[in-house]
Amino acid sequence: MLLVAAGLAAPWLYAYRVLPDILPVVIGGLIVVILGICFAVWARVHLGSNWSSRPAIRENHTITRTGPYAIVRHPIYTGILTGMLGTAIATGALLVFLVLLVMLVLFLIKIRMEEQFLAEEFGGDYERYRLEVKALIPYVL
């Protein structure tokens, strides 16, 4: 939706390419899209009944620290952003890279709100998890 709105507002940004329109770049981007989608789906399936579109604590809820949650604290967001990065690479369009940056900022805001909620619910256990596992990018962010 954000990409469509931005394309309508500034179509020249979509036409402006920052990567070459060659098959290896497009295929590389598609591979990144597939990896991102697979990572997000793995995270969602692994989370099981603890998943919610909004932060919520279920009965017998625990902090999930296994599977993709041992790699990053928010693997669904990581998968979505990775898929968006793959889309940006495959299209090579400046607009898609800009939308990716906007999505990153929005996810970081959402992560801050969710983590405040989780810290209130799980206290020191969640704080230890935060210190041990990065939010979106292993070893980086």
Side-chain angles (χ1 to χ4, degrees):
M1 182 77 140
L2 185 59
L3 186 57
V4 171
L8 292 173
W12 63 271
L13 282 175
Y14 193 77
Y16 186 78
R17 298 185 62 81
V18 294
L19 292 176
D21 187 16
I22 58 174
L23 191 58
V25 172
V26 173
I27 290 172
L30 291 175
I31 290 169
V32 174
V33 168
I34 292 167
L35 291 173
I37 291 170
C38 288
F39 194 71
V41 168
W42 178 35
R44 172 60 186 88
V45 169
H46 191 78
L47 197 54
S49 63
N50 283 340
W51 182 83
S52 172
S53 61
R54 284 185 264 161
I57 301 301
R58 309 260 190 247
E59 190 175 331
N60 300 320
H61 196 117
T62 60
I63 300 170
T64 303
R65 297 183 61 143
T66 57
Y69 293 86
I71 301 168
V72 290
R73 292 191 313 270
H74 301 277
I76 295 173
Y77 299 156
T78 296
I80 292 168
L81 290 168
T82 301
M84 189 73 182
L85 174 62
T87 301
I89 292 168
T91 64
L94 175 61
L95 177 62
V96 184
F97 282 99
L98 294 176
V99 169
L100 173 62
L101 289 176
V102 170
M103 294 290 293
L104 174 61
V105 169
L106 293 174
F107 276 145
L108 289 173
I109 292 167
K110 189 172 182 191
I111 285 169
R112 178 175 284 155
M113 293 186 307
E114 288 178 1
E115 291 200 336
Q116 183 177 3
F117 174 78
L118 292 167
E120 289 171 5
E121 290 296 322
F122 293 109
D125 287 340
Y126 192 75
E127 189 56 36
R128 277 188 295 282
Y129 180 47
R130 286 180 65 184
L131 292 172
E132 294 169 6
V133 179
K134 297 293 184 182
L136 288 171
I137 304 169
Y139 311 108
V140 178
L141 173 69

